[in-house]
Amino acid sequence: MSWLILALLVWLGGWALNIWLSRWDRLRAVRIAVPVIFGVTLLVVWEALVRGFGISPVILPAPSVVAQTFAASTDLLWIDFQQTVVKGALRGFTIGAIAAFVAAVLIDRSKFLTRGLLPIGNFVAALPIVGIAPIMVNWFGFDWQSKAAVVVVMVFFPILVNTVQGLNEASAMQRDLMRTYAANYWQTLFRLRLPAAMPFVFNGLKVATTLALIGAIVAEYFGSPTRGMGFRISTGVGSLSIDLVWAEIAVAAIAGTALYGIVAWIEKRVTFWHPSQRR
Amino acid sequence: MKIKATLAALSLTATSAWAADDVTLQLKWVTQAQFAGYYVALEKGFYDEEDLNVTIKPGGPDIAPTQVLAGGGADVTVEWMPAALAAREKGLPMVNIAQPFKSSGMMLTCRKDAGVETTADFPGKTLGVWFFGNEFPFLSWMSQLEIPTDGSEAGVEVLKQGFNVDPILNGQAACVSTMTYNEYWQVIDAGLTPEELTIFKYEDNGVATLEDGLYVLEENLEDPAFEDKMVRFVRASMKGWKYAEENPDEAAEIVLEYDETGAQTETHQKRMMGEVAKLTAGSNGALDPADYERTVASLLSGGSDPVISAAPTGAWTHQITDKALN
């Protein structure tokens, strides 16, 4: 009972603190503190509820137990992280992003490809991951190659659509100006249209980071070597190592946030001129 | 038998005499002849005779029966003993109340052209293994053979096999895990002949572990009403199993009727029932302590990475079968 009261108090306390802090929302420190307080409150409430209700560890382990498991199995988590994120997701993401970018420029260049390739891109986007993953495992084997292939398929489309959209962003007036300067297609592309497209390209890249991670993890459900985050999550549930599963989920969350953050950071540097980046 | 049932019915309270008792059974896998006994008992009214209203929940690749039991989604579940014992060690007190399967149907099916004739040929090969709680018998077998499973030179490379036998067909693995009653026939149906295959039955290699037992949570057994419900459930289920053994074709057809996915074929199910009947033949439902000891010994000999670290206590009971079968 005392745990439940604690949960209630911490929740109300965190809430009150954040409301009070939000008066100074112009301060950088406060903008960081508010979500941190929210997150910590959530963890403490989770811990207190699990203890208060005596929830079985095979249903939902307490965050403290997850943290202990995390600390005790860092070697394992690191091996899994390398297998899934570094080999599967990042390689797939890179290949998919470059392929989508090149395809977008080609599609933009010719009417023929616009009518031929874009519908295929739409079709690929509609493919369910659970449908393509087993096929990719069959084609590319059980190791990271098949996971990268699934990621390529998953990230290709959002980047393609966004880039095609972005390439049409430069207005007719701006393009006419380039013509009066006697600029050829490539000069117009590199000096005007690609820079103008960057906010869109980055939008596609940001969506793709999360997709890449999901794709690499889920693809491991359909056959994998005995390492990888998806492998550990799917088999951990079966052997009731739920604490390890949550530790992997924590790694996935951190990795996903970090990837997204890196892309957002690059975007800030590249599209500094765009209204959305103004302070 | 009849008298007993009547007595049991009389001993019940007035309320439950009007309403049948609900029992939810969680299967380990999808609807197929592996669970024919339960479907037969349902279809033939053996559960009704015991005044039970039984709901059978099919399992699947993403359903861990142990977790369903822990979460209260089922009263009783069909599970393999290694997974149940591992769960018990993890803090989920599961108890075996009946053991309809006497023998293990698990085996490793290998291609001769991949160079596998005996267990000595394993090192350096790639083997497909099911996980999700089914990896335990394999891991304890490998540690008994003293073969590491880390993909090293002297060891074997382990693949997490999906829900099919593709790896052996397209040469990605030298061996795959199969059940005598299911996946083995998928390999045969895919075009490989029995002559092209080497089969390692876990039974023949002395590493067989008990499969498809009935498990409940320990705390529930202390409740007399629950215990009585389980006695009747086990009695009716075993009646269903024996009926299925004697009438395998009819049992397979009953299973097909209950298969809502429509994924199963008649040929495959009849064949499966024939094989499953061989596994259930030696059991009247009561667990043989010698089989249990053998399973535990096999799991404890896990070398560096044993499935369970200590011999469990109270992991099985004759409390239910003693009352159900006498």
Side-chain angles (χ1 to χ4, degrees), chain B residues 241-293:
Chain B
W241 271 118
K242 294 308 150 191
Y243 186 93
E245 269 174 45
E246 284 156 25
N247 311 283
D249 282 0
E250 189 191 344
E253 276 159 21
I254 289 173
V255 170
L256 280 170
E257 273 171 45
Y258 280 95
D259 174 35
E260 286 167 7
T261 61
Q264 306 290 4
T265 65
E266 194 176 346
T267 354
H268 189 57
Q269 288 306 305
K270 285 188 172 168
R271 214 162 42 184
M272 189 185 292
M273 190 58 232
E275 291 292 334
V276 167
K278 294 177 193 168
L279 304 181
T280 55
S283 172
N284 66 350
L287 178 134
D288 179 349
D291 291 342
Y292 166 80
E293 295 300 341

Side-chain angles (χ1 to χ4, degrees), chain B:
Chain B
M1 203 63 193
K2 268 239 165 75
I3 295 166
K4 265 207 149 351
T6 325
L7 280 175
L10 283 173
S11 69
L12 291 175
T13 53
T15 46
S16 59
W18 294 111
D21 295 312
D22 290 321
V23 173
T24 308
L25 169 70
Q26 174 65 55
L27 301 180
K28 182 164 172 60
W29 194 243
V30 296
T31 303
Q32 56 181 17
Q34 180 185 356
F35 311 107
Y38 311 108
Y39 285 108
V40 167
L42 191 63
E43 177 71 19
K44 290 276 163 195
F46 300 159
Y47 289 135
D48 295 342
E49 288 166 25
E50 295 283 1
D51 198 31
L52 290 173
N53 174 24
V54 176
T55 312
I56 301 181
K57 285 185 173 175
D62 52 352
I63 296 171
T66 46
Q67 233 192 344
V68 175
L69 193 64
D75 299 307
V76 52
T77 140
V78 176
E79 183 53 284
W80 290 5
M81 186 162 269
L85 294 182
R88 198 178 166 82
E89 195 158 273
K90 286 261 184 340
L92 180 70
M94 293 171 73
V95 182
N96 178 306
I97 54 165
Q99 186 59 45
F101 276 53
K102 174 71 180 172
S103 335
S104 154
M106 216 177 168
M107 56 188 194
L108 208 57
T109 300
C110 303
R111 290 180 79 128
K112 282 184 181 160
D113 60 13
V116 184
E117 300 275 353
T118 66
T119 52
D121 298 326
F122 285 152
K125 300 287 189 294
T126 303
L127 314 178
V129 176
W130 295 311
F131 279 79
F132 211 68
N134 301 355
E135 69 274 34
F136 302 131
F138 172 83
L139 294 177
S140 61
W141 182 26
M142 286 300 129
S143 62
Q144 285 189 25
L145 293 172
E146 291 179 354
I147 299 176
T149 52
D150 52 4
S152 59
E153 280 300 305
V156 288
E157 176 77 38
V158 176
L159 290 183
K160 179 184 166 230
Q161 190 181 328
F163 323 115
N164 54 37
V165 291
D166 291 353
I168 196 174
L169 303 175
N170 57 21
Q172 287 174 332
C175 309
V176 289
S177 299
T178 55
M179 301 305 289
T180 52
Y181 47 78
N182 189 7
E183 289 81 4
Y184 172 74
W185 298 102
Q186 292 175 11
V187 177
I188 299 294
D189 287 344
L192 289 167
T193 61
E195 293 73 46
E196 291 172 316
L197 301 169
T198 316
I199 293 169
F200 300 95
K201 286 194 179 181
Y202 281 56
E203 282 282 354
D204 304 342
N205 286 277
V207 284
T209 49
L210 286 169
E211 290 159 15
D212 290 51
L214 291 171
Y215 291 83
V216 299
L217 287 180
E218 199 169 297
E219 67 231 33
N220 292 343
L221 277 177
E222 290 154 16
D223 171 15
F226 182 85
E227 186 205 45
D228 176 66
K229 218 160 64 164
M230 284 302 121
V231 167
R232 288 178 284 140
F233 174 77
V234 168
R235 186 158 48 217
S237 301
M238 285 318 297
K239 203 169 156 187
W241 271 118
K242 294 308 150 191
Y243 186 93
E245 269 174 45
E246 284 156 25
N247 311 283
D249 282 0
E250 189 191 344
E253 276 159 21
I254 289 173
V255 170
L256 280 170
E257 273 171 45
Y258 280 95
D259 174 35
E260 286 167 7
T261 61
Q264 306 290 4
T265 65
E266 194 176 346
T267 354
H268 189 57
Q269 288 306 305
K270 285 188 172 168
R271 214 162 42 184
M272 189 185 292
M273 190 58 232
E275 291 292 334
V276 167
K278 294 177 193 168
L279 304 181
T280 55
S283 172
N284 66 350
L287 178 134
D288 179 349
D291 291 342
Y292 166 80
E293 295 300 341
R294 194 193 60 221
T295 299
V296 170
S298 162
L299 295 178
L300 278 175
S301 61
S304 60
D305 197 12
V307 176
I308 46 176
S309 54
T313 48
W316 61 276
T317 176
H318 278 164
Q319 179 186 347
I320 303 292
T321 44
D322 282 348
K323 291 183 178 170
L325 306 171
N326 299 332

Side-chain angles (χ1 to χ4, degrees), chain A residues 54-242:
Chain A
I55 295 170
S56 161
V58 300
I59 299 288
L60 182 68
S64 58
V65 177
V66 175
Q68 279 168 5
T69 310
F70 192 109
S73 42
T74 41
D75 309 356
L76 196 67
L77 294 171
W78 175 241
I79 291 169
D80 291 347
F81 173 83
Q82 281 179 304
Q83 172 73 16
T84 306
V85 178
V86 180
K87 289 181 182 166
L90 281 179
R91 287 175 188 180
F93 179 80
T94 312
I95 298 167
I98 292 170
F101 191 77
V102 171
V105 173
L106 288 176
I107 284 176
D108 174 73
R109 182 90 212 240
S110 90
K111 269 274 185 288
F112 173 76
L113 288 179
T114 310
R115 289 180 186 160
L117 272 184
L118 262 189
I120 293 179
N122 275 311
F123 173 74
V124 169
L127 286 177
I129 181 174
V130 291
I132 55 170
I135 298 172
M136 294 297 165
V137 168
N138 225 332
W139 286 359
F140 298 105
F142 279 72
D143 211 347
W144 63 267
Q145 293 86 344
S146 57
K147 316 302 171 276
V150 171
V151 172
V152 168
V153 173
M154 283 187 81
V155 302
F156 183 81
F157 185 73
I159 299 176
L160 175 80
V161 169
N162 274 289
T163 310
V164 168
Q165 177 80 36
L167 285 171
N168 294 323
E169 189 55 16
S171 66
M173 191 75 89
Q174 292 164 332
R175 278 182 238 179
D176 283 348
L177 181 65
M178 292 302 274
R179 281 184 70 89
T180 55
Y181 290 157
N184 62 23
Y185 167 83
W186 293 107
Q187 286 169 321
T188 310
L189 184 73
F190 284 111
R191 301 279 164 86
L192 168 68
R193 298 179 63 218
L194 276 182
M198 278 304 139
F200 286 84
V201 174
F202 275 101
N203 196 19
L205 287 173
K206 282 193 287 194
V207 171
T209 51
T210 38
L211 283 176
L213 209 58
I214 295 168
I217 291 174
V218 173
E220 286 179 353
Y221 282 43
F222 298 91
S224 66
T226 49
R227 57 184 180 275
M229 291 156 79
F231 166 82
R232 206 74 59 190
I233 291 171
S234 66
T235 57
V237 173
S239 54
L240 291 184
S241 321
I242 308 295

